[in-house]
Amino acid sequence: QVQLVESGGGLVQAGGSLRLSCAASGIISSINTMEWYRQPPGKQRELVAGITSGGTTNYLDSVKGRFTISRDNAKKTAYLQMNSLKLEDTAVYFCYANIRSTSRRQYDYWGQGTQVTVSS
């Protein structure tokens, strides 16, 4: 059973920083794309940042220059470093990964979400 477990959320003042982690566990052959999404209160889920297995990244325009996505393939973990946090960054953050199993099939997995609250 493959699982994604997020950690690192919490309450932070505007201008502060947080680092989210997403660790994959289970029987995994390889991990393709890993992404972070967020869902602000009353709004739809949106893609915040993504990183391919080769390290190519992409970002939501509103977080460019403030957030950095990275991954450690040996640890099967993705990170989201969030700096200069703003009130509008408040959301539940979800990790997503496309994972290849030992049967060579690819599956999509989601973490349970971690709350990030930015206060003034």
Side-chain angles (χ1 to χ4, degrees):
Q1 182 76 9
V2 173
Q3 286 188 317
L4 297 180
V5 178
E6 299 121 333
S7 60
L11 175 65
V12 63
Q13 285 192 325
S17 298
L18 282 175
R19 187 193 194 205
L20 305 183
S21 298
C22 171
S25 64
I27 301 175
I28 296 170
S29 175
S30 62
I31 302 176
N32 301 317
T33 297
M34 300 187 79
E35 296 173 335
W36 287 97
Y37 288 74
R38 69 185 181 188
Q39 187 164 14
K43 296 184 179 180
Q44 291 189 330
R45 192 175 298 190
E46 60 183 357
L47 175 62
V48 177
I51 184 167
T52 67
S53 57
T56 300
T57 60
N58 63 281
Y59 296 93
L60 181 68
D61 283 346
S62 61
V63 308
K64 286 180 180 177
R66 300 189 298 120
F67 290 10
T68 302
I69 188 171
S70 61
R71 61 190 286 172
D72 184 329
N73 291 328
K75 293 183 178 180
K76 300 176 184 173
T77 299
Y79 306 95
L80 186 67
Q81 178 66 44
M82 305 186 294
N83 299 328
S84 303
L85 282 161
K86 303 177 179 180
L87 297 179
E88 52 264 40
D89 294 320
T90 294
V92 178
Y93 284 71
F94 297 90
C95 177
Y96 158 87
N98 180 261
I99 294 176
R100 187 183 299 276
S101 70
T102 53
S103 68
R104 309 304 290 172
R105 291 183 178 180
Q106 298 182 52
Y107 298 93
D108 296 326
Y109 293 93
W110 290 88
Q112 80 285 357
T114 185
Q115 177 70 46
V116 171
T117 303
V118 183
S119 64
S120 58

